[in-house]
Amino acid sequence: MTQPRYMAVVDWVKKELEKGNLKPGDRLDSENELSVKFSLSRQTIRHAIAVLEKEGYVTRIQGSGTYISDNNITDKVNRKNIAVITTYVDAYIFPQMIQHVERVLSNAGYTVQISFTYNRISREKSILEGIVAKDDIAGVIAEPTKSSLPNPNLKYYEKLRKKHVPVLFMNTYYEALDAPHVSMDDIMAGKIATQYVIGKGHKRIGGVFKLDDSQGSRRYFGFLEAMNEASLRVTGNDLLWFDTVDIENEENVRQLAERIRKRLSTRTALVLYNDESAYKLINEFNKMGLKIPDDISIVGIDDTVLSTNGTVQITSVAYPTEEIAVKAANNLLELIKNGRFDATYEFSVHIVERDSVKDLTDN
Protein backbone atom coordinates (compact mmCIF):
# COMPACT_ATOMS: atom_id res chain seq x y z
CA MET A 1 0.00 0.00 0.00
CA THR A 2 1.28 3.46 -0.89
CA GLN A 3 2.25 5.58 2.15
CA PRO A 4 0.26 8.81 2.66
CA ARG A 5 2.23 11.81 1.39
CA TYR A 6 2.27 13.57 4.78
CA MET A 7 4.22 10.65 6.24
CA ALA A 8 7.33 11.80 4.34
CA VAL A 9 7.46 14.78 6.69
CA VAL A 10 6.65 12.73 9.79
CA ASP A 11 9.34 10.16 9.00
CA TRP A 12 11.88 12.88 8.19
CA VAL A 13 11.39 14.60 11.57
CA LYS A 14 11.75 11.30 13.42
CA LYS A 15 14.92 10.39 11.51
CA GLU A 16 16.44 13.83 12.11
CA LEU A 17 15.76 13.37 15.83
CA GLU A 18 17.47 9.97 15.78
CA LYS A 19 20.52 11.44 14.05
CA GLY A 20 20.69 14.33 16.51
CA ASN A 21 20.18 16.92 13.79
CA LEU A 22 17.02 18.03 15.57
CA LYS A 23 17.04 18.47 19.33
CA PRO A 24 14.43 19.36 21.97
CA GLY A 25 13.72 23.08 21.80
CA ASP A 26 14.75 23.47 18.15
CA ARG A 27 12.38 25.43 15.97
CA LEU A 28 11.03 23.42 13.03
CA ASP A 29 11.08 24.90 9.53
CA SER A 30 8.02 26.99 8.70
CA GLU A 31 5.08 25.53 6.77
CA ASN A 32 6.24 27.37 3.65
CA GLU A 33 9.82 26.05 4.01
CA LEU A 34 8.60 22.47 4.55
CA SER A 35 6.21 22.81 1.62
CA VAL A 36 9.11 23.73 -0.67
CA LYS A 37 11.46 21.12 0.83
CA PHE A 38 9.00 18.23 0.26
CA SER A 39 7.06 19.61 -2.72
CA LEU A 40 3.84 19.25 -0.76
CA SER A 41 0.89 21.55 -0.21
CA ARG A 42 0.67 23.57 2.97
CA GLN A 43 -2.47 21.62 3.88
CA THR A 44 -0.49 18.36 3.73
CA ILE A 45 2.29 19.93 5.82
CA ARG A 46 -0.26 21.04 8.43
CA HIS A 47 -1.59 17.51 8.60
CA ALA A 48 1.92 16.13 9.12
CA ILE A 49 2.57 18.61 11.93
CA ALA A 50 -0.74 17.74 13.54
CA VAL A 51 0.25 14.06 13.54
CA LEU A 52 3.67 14.88 15.03
CA GLU A 53 2.03 17.04 17.69
CA LYS A 54 -0.46 14.29 18.58
CA GLU A 55 2.43 11.83 18.95
CA GLY A 56 4.30 14.28 21.19
CA TYR A 57 7.20 15.07 18.86
CA VAL A 58 6.44 18.75 18.36
CA THR A 59 4.75 21.63 20.14
CA ARG A 60 3.05 24.51 18.34
CA ILE A 61 3.28 27.96 19.92
CA GLN A 62 0.81 30.53 18.63
CA GLY A 63 2.59 33.40 16.90
CA SER A 64 6.02 31.82 17.31
CA GLY A 65 6.22 28.56 15.38
CA THR A 66 6.55 24.80 15.79
CA TYR A 67 9.23 23.39 18.08
CA ILE A 68 10.64 19.95 18.82
CA SER A 69 8.99 19.02 22.09
CA ASP A 70 10.72 20.09 25.27
CA ASN A 71 9.18 20.25 28.73
CA ASN A 72 10.43 23.83 28.98
CA ILE A 73 9.54 24.95 25.46
CA THR A 74 6.78 27.36 26.50
CA ASP A 75 9.13 29.01 29.00
CA LYS A 76 11.82 29.20 26.34
CA VAL A 77 9.57 30.98 23.85
CA ASN A 78 8.39 33.43 26.51
CA ARG A 79 11.90 34.42 27.63
CA LYS A 80 12.39 38.09 26.82
CA ASN A 81 15.76 38.94 28.37
CA ILE A 82 19.11 38.81 26.59
CA ALA A 83 22.40 39.02 28.50
CA VAL A 84 25.28 40.95 26.92
CA ILE A 85 28.74 40.51 28.44
CA THR A 86 31.68 42.66 27.32
CA THR A 87 35.16 43.15 28.76
CA TYR A 88 34.65 46.91 29.13
CA VAL A 89 31.66 49.22 28.92
CA ASP A 90 32.82 52.83 28.80
CA ALA A 91 36.08 52.85 26.84
CA TYR A 92 37.59 52.18 23.42
CA ILE A 93 35.09 50.57 20.96
CA PHE A 94 32.67 49.34 23.62
CA PRO A 95 30.20 52.24 24.12
CA GLN A 96 29.30 52.28 20.42
CA MET A 97 29.22 48.49 20.19
CA ILE A 98 26.89 48.11 23.17
CA GLN A 99 24.66 50.88 21.86
CA HIS A 100 24.17 49.14 18.50
CA VAL A 101 23.58 45.71 20.09
CA GLU A 102 21.03 47.15 22.49
CA ARG A 103 19.18 48.97 19.70
CA VAL A 104 18.74 45.85 17.57
CA LEU A 105 17.68 43.63 20.47
CA SER A 106 15.31 46.22 21.95
CA ASN A 107 13.65 46.74 18.57
CA ALA A 108 13.05 42.98 18.51
CA GLY A 109 11.19 43.22 21.83
CA TYR A 110 13.90 42.04 24.21
CA THR A 111 15.20 43.55 27.42
CA VAL A 112 18.99 43.78 27.42
CA GLN A 113 21.03 43.09 30.55
CA ILE A 114 24.58 44.42 30.18
CA SER A 115 27.53 43.23 32.27
CA PHE A 116 31.25 43.78 31.92
CA THR A 117 34.22 41.78 33.15
CA TYR A 118 37.16 44.23 32.97
CA ASN A 119 38.86 41.22 31.36
CA ARG A 120 38.91 39.48 34.74
CA ILE A 121 38.12 35.75 34.88
CA SER A 122 36.78 36.04 38.45
CA ARG A 123 34.28 38.71 37.39
CA GLU A 124 33.23 36.68 34.35
CA LYS A 125 32.58 33.75 36.70
CA SER A 126 30.25 35.71 38.96
CA ILE A 127 28.36 37.16 35.97
CA LEU A 128 27.87 33.74 34.39
CA GLU A 129 26.78 32.16 37.67
CA GLY A 130 24.04 34.78 37.90
CA ILE A 131 22.91 34.20 34.31
CA VAL A 132 22.87 30.40 34.64
CA ALA A 133 20.70 30.69 37.76
CA LYS A 134 18.00 32.61 35.86
CA ASP A 135 15.17 31.09 33.83
CA ASP A 136 14.26 34.21 31.85
CA ILE A 137 17.32 34.48 29.58
CA ALA A 138 16.59 33.94 25.87
CA GLY A 139 20.19 34.21 24.71
CA VAL A 140 23.68 35.49 25.50
CA ILE A 141 26.11 37.64 23.53
CA ALA A 142 29.52 37.48 25.18
CA GLU A 143 32.94 38.90 24.55
CA PRO A 144 35.41 36.34 25.92
CA THR A 145 37.66 37.16 28.85
CA LYS A 146 41.40 36.49 28.43
CA SER A 147 40.40 34.32 25.50
CA SER A 148 43.87 32.91 24.74
CA LEU A 149 44.33 31.45 28.24
CA PRO A 150 42.81 28.32 29.82
CA ASN A 151 39.53 29.38 31.37
CA PRO A 152 37.61 27.52 34.10
CA ASN A 153 34.44 29.45 33.21
CA LEU A 154 33.76 27.57 29.98
CA LYS A 155 31.61 25.12 31.92
CA TYR A 156 29.04 27.89 32.52
CA TYR A 157 28.64 28.49 28.80
CA GLU A 158 28.07 24.74 28.39
CA LYS A 159 25.44 24.85 31.13
CA LEU A 160 23.63 27.62 29.28
CA ARG A 161 23.55 25.60 26.09
CA LYS A 162 22.20 22.58 27.96
CA LYS A 163 19.36 24.85 29.09
CA HIS A 164 18.74 25.65 25.39
CA VAL A 165 20.04 29.18 25.84
CA PRO A 166 22.00 30.07 22.67
CA VAL A 167 25.40 31.70 23.20
CA LEU A 168 27.15 33.81 20.56
CA PHE A 169 30.63 35.28 21.02
CA MET A 170 31.48 38.74 19.75
CA ASN A 171 34.87 40.24 18.76
CA THR A 172 36.68 36.96 19.39
CA TYR A 173 35.95 33.47 20.72
CA TYR A 174 37.17 30.58 22.87
CA GLU A 175 38.77 27.96 20.63
CA ALA A 176 37.96 25.28 23.22
CA LEU A 177 34.21 25.85 22.74
CA ASP A 178 32.24 24.84 19.68
CA ALA A 179 30.13 27.98 19.57
CA PRO A 180 29.39 30.64 16.94
CA HIS A 181 31.14 34.01 16.83
CA VAL A 182 30.94 37.31 14.98
CA SER A 183 34.24 39.13 14.63
CA MET A 184 36.75 40.75 12.36
CA ASP A 185 39.15 38.51 10.44
CA ASP A 186 41.99 39.11 12.89
CA ILE A 187 44.53 37.02 11.02
CA MET A 188 43.99 39.15 7.93
CA ALA A 189 44.12 42.31 10.05
CA GLY A 190 47.62 41.45 11.25
CA LYS A 191 48.60 40.44 7.76
CA ILE A 192 47.54 43.58 5.88
CA ALA A 193 49.00 45.82 8.61
CA THR A 194 52.35 44.10 8.07
CA GLN A 195 52.01 44.09 4.29
CA TYR A 196 51.43 47.82 4.41
CA VAL A 197 54.75 48.60 6.12
CA ILE A 198 56.54 46.10 3.89
CA GLY A 199 55.09 47.94 0.91
CA LYS A 200 56.56 51.16 2.29
CA GLY A 201 60.02 49.64 2.07
CA HIS A 202 60.50 48.41 5.64
CA LYS A 203 62.38 45.15 6.14
CA ARG A 204 63.33 45.28 9.83
CA ILE A 205 59.83 45.06 11.31
CA GLY A 206 58.89 44.27 14.90
CA GLY A 207 55.58 43.02 16.25
CA VAL A 208 54.01 43.90 19.61
CA PHE A 209 50.97 41.78 20.46
CA LYS A 210 48.69 41.05 23.39
CA LEU A 211 49.22 37.59 24.85
CA ASP A 212 46.11 37.06 27.00
CA ASP A 213 43.48 37.68 24.30
CA SER A 214 43.21 35.41 21.28
CA GLN A 215 42.92 38.42 18.95
CA GLY A 216 46.58 39.01 19.77
CA SER A 217 47.66 35.53 18.71
CA ARG A 218 45.61 35.70 15.50
CA ARG A 219 47.00 39.12 14.57
CA TYR A 220 50.47 37.77 15.30
CA PHE A 221 49.80 34.84 12.97
CA GLY A 222 48.84 37.31 10.23
CA PHE A 223 52.07 39.22 10.91
CA LEU A 224 54.05 35.98 10.44
CA GLU A 225 52.23 35.14 7.21
CA ALA A 226 53.04 38.54 5.70
CA MET A 227 56.68 38.38 6.76
CA ASN A 228 57.11 34.84 5.44
CA GLU A 229 55.48 35.69 2.11
CA ALA A 230 57.91 38.62 1.78
CA SER A 231 60.84 36.31 2.66
CA LEU A 232 61.60 38.43 5.74
CA ARG A 233 63.05 36.50 8.67
CA VAL A 234 61.32 36.66 12.06
CA THR A 235 63.16 35.76 15.28
CA GLY A 236 62.21 35.97 18.93
CA ASN A 237 64.02 39.30 19.08
CA ASP A 238 61.54 40.76 16.59
CA LEU A 239 58.57 40.21 18.90
CA LEU A 240 57.32 41.46 22.23
CA TRP A 241 54.20 40.37 24.10
CA PHE A 242 52.21 42.24 26.74
CA ASP A 243 49.05 41.55 28.75
CA THR A 244 46.06 43.51 30.03
CA VAL A 245 47.88 44.82 33.11
CA ASP A 246 50.74 46.26 31.02
CA ILE A 247 48.54 48.99 29.54
CA GLU A 248 46.21 49.68 32.47
CA ASN A 249 48.10 52.69 33.83
CA GLU A 250 50.76 55.20 32.81
CA GLU A 251 53.61 53.62 34.78
CA ASN A 252 52.97 50.18 33.28
CA VAL A 253 52.87 51.66 29.77
CA ARG A 254 56.16 53.47 30.44
CA GLN A 255 57.80 50.19 31.44
CA LEU A 256 56.37 48.49 28.35
CA ALA A 257 57.76 51.27 26.15
CA GLU A 258 61.19 50.79 27.74
CA ARG A 259 61.07 47.06 27.03
CA ILE A 260 60.15 47.75 23.42
CA ARG A 261 62.95 50.28 23.01
CA LYS A 262 65.54 47.86 24.39
CA ARG A 263 64.42 44.81 22.44
CA LEU A 264 63.24 46.36 19.16
CA SER A 265 65.58 49.34 18.92
CA THR A 266 66.98 48.34 15.51
CA ARG A 267 63.55 47.97 13.87
CA THR A 268 62.32 50.68 11.51
CA ALA A 269 58.63 49.81 11.97
CA LEU A 270 56.33 48.22 14.54
CA VAL A 271 53.01 46.46 13.98
CA LEU A 272 51.04 47.01 17.19
CA TYR A 273 48.17 44.93 18.57
CA ASN A 274 45.63 47.74 18.45
CA ASP A 275 45.10 51.52 18.48
CA GLU A 276 44.94 51.72 22.28
CA SER A 277 48.43 50.26 22.65
CA ALA A 278 49.68 52.35 19.70
CA TYR A 279 48.29 55.60 21.13
CA LYS A 280 49.67 55.04 24.63
CA LEU A 281 53.07 53.86 23.44
CA ILE A 282 53.48 56.76 21.02
CA ASN A 283 52.97 59.14 23.95
CA GLU A 284 55.74 57.36 25.84
CA PHE A 285 58.02 57.25 22.79
CA ASN A 286 57.59 61.02 22.44
CA LYS A 287 58.74 61.48 26.02
CA MET A 288 61.82 59.39 25.19
CA GLY A 289 62.60 61.68 22.29
CA LEU A 290 61.61 59.18 19.60
CA LYS A 291 59.81 60.81 16.69
CA ILE A 292 57.04 59.02 14.80
CA PRO A 293 57.51 58.16 11.94
CA ASP A 294 61.02 59.56 11.45
CA ASP A 295 62.68 57.39 14.10
CA ILE A 296 60.22 54.51 14.01
CA SER A 297 57.03 53.83 12.05
CA ILE A 298 53.87 52.58 13.74
CA VAL A 299 50.77 50.84 12.38
CA GLY A 300 47.81 50.00 14.62
CA ILE A 301 44.64 47.96 14.32
CA ASP A 302 40.98 48.90 14.91
CA ASP A 303 40.90 52.47 13.44
CA THR A 304 39.29 53.94 16.55
CA VAL A 305 39.07 57.59 17.56
CA LEU A 306 42.44 57.12 19.29
CA SER A 307 44.10 56.81 15.89
CA THR A 308 43.36 60.49 15.23
CA ASN A 309 43.53 61.92 18.77
CA GLY A 310 47.28 62.01 19.36
CA THR A 311 50.24 63.99 18.15
CA VAL A 312 50.50 61.66 15.16
CA GLN A 313 47.63 60.39 13.02
CA ILE A 314 47.98 56.60 13.18
CA THR A 315 47.70 54.36 10.14
CA SER A 316 45.36 51.57 11.23
CA VAL A 317 43.33 48.59 10.05
CA ALA A 318 39.64 49.50 10.17
CA TYR A 319 37.47 47.67 12.70
CA PRO A 320 33.78 47.43 11.62
CA THR A 321 32.39 48.22 15.07
CA GLU A 322 28.78 48.93 14.11
CA GLU A 323 28.63 46.10 11.58
CA ILE A 324 29.93 43.53 14.08
CA ALA A 325 27.50 44.69 16.77
CA VAL A 326 24.47 44.64 14.47
CA LYS A 327 25.45 41.29 12.93
CA ALA A 328 26.00 39.73 16.37
CA ALA A 329 22.60 40.91 17.60
CA ASN A 330 20.76 39.77 14.47
CA ASN A 331 22.51 36.41 14.39
CA LEU A 332 21.63 35.74 18.02
CA LEU A 333 17.99 36.51 17.21
CA GLU A 334 18.18 33.94 14.41
CA LEU A 335 19.74 31.40 16.80
CA ILE A 336 16.90 31.93 19.24
CA LYS A 337 14.43 31.09 16.47
CA ASN A 338 16.49 28.29 14.93
CA GLY A 339 19.17 26.50 16.92
CA ARG A 340 20.65 25.09 13.70
CA PHE A 341 21.36 28.52 12.21
CA ASP A 342 25.01 29.03 11.24
CA ALA A 343 25.69 32.25 13.17
CA THR A 344 29.46 32.54 12.68
CA TYR A 345 30.62 35.47 10.56
CA GLU A 346 34.01 37.16 10.10
CA PHE A 347 34.26 40.58 8.47
CA SER A 348 36.90 41.39 5.88
CA VAL A 349 39.29 44.27 6.64
CA HIS A 350 41.07 47.18 5.00
CA ILE A 351 43.75 49.68 6.04
CA VAL A 352 43.27 53.39 6.64
CA GLU A 353 46.42 55.30 5.69
CA ARG A 354 47.55 58.25 7.81
CA ASP A 355 50.90 59.70 8.96
CA SER A 356 52.55 57.15 11.25
CA VAL A 357 54.50 55.13 8.65
CA LYS A 358 57.56 56.52 6.87
CA ASP A 359 57.96 55.69 3.20
CA LEU A 360 61.38 54.13 2.65
CA THR A 361 60.84 53.06 -0.97
CA ASP A 362 62.77 56.11 -2.26
CA ASN A 363 65.72 55.54 0.09
Side-chain angles (χ1 to χ4, degrees):
M1 180 181 293
T2 303
Q3 178 176 261
R5 299 185 73 187
Y6 72 84
M7 284 302 297
V9 181
V10 173
D11 290 343
W12 174 78
V13 169
K14 291 178 180 179
K15 287 178 182 176
E16 290 298 289
L17 279 166
E18 289 175 6
K19 295 176 185 175
N21 295 333
L22 286 176
K23 297 180 176 62
D26 283 354
R27 187 176 185 272
L28 200 62
D29 293 338
S30 68
E31 289 182 2
N32 281 337
E33 290 168 330
L34 290 172
S35 179
V36 171
K37 183 193 292 283
F38 291 95
S39 299
L40 297 172
S41 69
R42 289 188 64 183
Q43 182 177 355
T44 302
I45 296 298
R46 286 194 199 102
H47 185 57
I49 292 173
V51 171
L52 287 164
E53 185 175 31
K54 184 176 180 179
E55 293 181 6
Y57 287 98
V58 301
T59 302
R60 284 189 280 196
I61 305 295
Q62 183 67 34
S64 179
T66 301
Y67 295 82
I68 301 301
S69 291
D70 180 343
N71 291 335
N72 299 314
I73 188 62
T74 302
D75 291 338
K76 177 184 175 182
V77 171
N78 290 330
R79 295 170 185 168
K80 285 299 178 183
N81 296 308
I82 290 177
V84 177
I85 307 169
T86 62
T87 49
Y88 300 95
V89 70
D90 57 356
Y92 205 47
I93 61 174
F94 299 104
Q96 307 98 299
M97 185 160 277
I98 292 169
Q99 178 184 358
H100 295 306
V101 168
E102 197 277 335
R103 171 175 56 81
V104 173
L105 297 178
S106 295
N107 288 343
Y110 288 90
T111 299
V112 181
Q113 302 175 5
I114 299 169
S115 305
F116 47 98
T117 66
Y118 288 121
N119 215 23
R120 300 286 192 270
I121 288 175
S122 59
R123 186 169 173 87
E124 181 190 41
K125 177 177 182 290
S126 63
I127 291 169
L128 288 170
E129 284 177 334
I131 293 172
V132 168
K134 295 179 179 179
D135 293 321
D136 61 349
I137 301 296
V140 175
I141 293 177
E143 184 192 26
T145 296
K146 295 189 182 297
S147 50
S148 69
L149 304 180
N151 190 329
N153 296 333
L154 301 190
K155 62 184 178 183
Y156 296 106
Y157 291 110
E158 293 290 3
K159 286 181 180 180
L160 286 168
R161 294 201 295 184
K162 287 180 181 178
K163 292 179 67 175
H164 305 302
V165 177
V167 175
L168 183 143
F169 291 108
M170 182 172 66
N171 293 336
T172 188
Y173 55 95
Y174 295 112
E175 291 190 358
L177 281 180
D178 180 19
H181 68 273
V182 173
S183 68
M184 177 169 76
D185 185 341
D186 284 298
I187 292 176
M188 186 55 65
K191 185 171 184 176
I192 70 168
T194 310
Q195 288 174 331
Y196 178 81
V197 293
I198 292 171
K200 292 296 182 180
H202 293 268
K203 299 183 184 303
R204 291 179 288 119
I205 304 166
V208 181
F209 300 102
K210 199 162 185 279
L211 62 83
D212 54 356
D213 288 334
S214 57
Q215 286 168 303
S217 59
R218 294 190 187 97
R219 293 173 184 184
Y220 158 69
F221 188 81
F223 168 84
L224 286 183
E225 278 196 346
M227 295 289 281
N228 289 335
E229 288 176 10
S231 299
L232 295 175
R233 186 165 175 260
V234 179
T235 71
N237 289 329
D238 297 312
L239 299 166
L240 192 143
W241 295 85
F242 67 94
D243 63 17
T244 299
V245 175
D246 288 324
I247 56 169
E248 282 189 333
N249 59 61
E250 189 173 333
E251 175 57 24
N252 288 357
V253 175
R254 185 191 66 77
Q255 293 178 14
L256 177 60
E258 288 284 359
R259 287 166 55 204
I260 292 171
R261 186 172 68 166
K262 289 177 181 177
R263 177 173 303 180
L264 307 177
S265 60
T266 62
R267 281 63 183 176
T268 63
L270 297 178
V271 176
L272 295 185
Y273 166 72
N274 67 358
D275 288 347
E276 181 184 20
S277 54
Y279 174 81
K280 291 182 176 180
L281 287 167
I282 286 174
N283 287 339
E284 291 302 319
F285 291 154
N286 287 337
K287 295 175 186 176
M288 296 173 180
L290 293 175
K291 295 180 180 179
I292 313 297
D294 292 337
D295 294 325
I296 190 164
S297 294
I298 298 287
V299 60
I301 298 176
D302 291 345
D303 190 35
T304 65
V305 65
L306 291 177
S307 63
T308 58
N309 271 4
T311 56
V312 177
Q313 304 277 295
I314 303 171
T315 293
S316 184
V317 178
Y319 191 92
T321 304
E322 179 176 354
E323 291 88 343
I324 286 176
V326 170
K327 188 74 171 177
N330 281 323
N331 281 12
L332 181 70
L333 293 175
E334 287 297 324
L335 271 177
I336 290 170
K337 291 188 291 184
N338 177 12
R340 292 170 292 154
F341 176 69
D342 182 4
T344 292
Y345 190 90
E346 291 190 356
F347 284 86
S348 58
V349 295
H350 66 276
I351 199 150
V352 179
E353 186 175 16
R354 296 194 179 90
D355 305 326
S356 61
V357 177
K358 186 176 181 180
D359 191 343
L360 300 181
T361 55
D362 294 331
N363 292 356

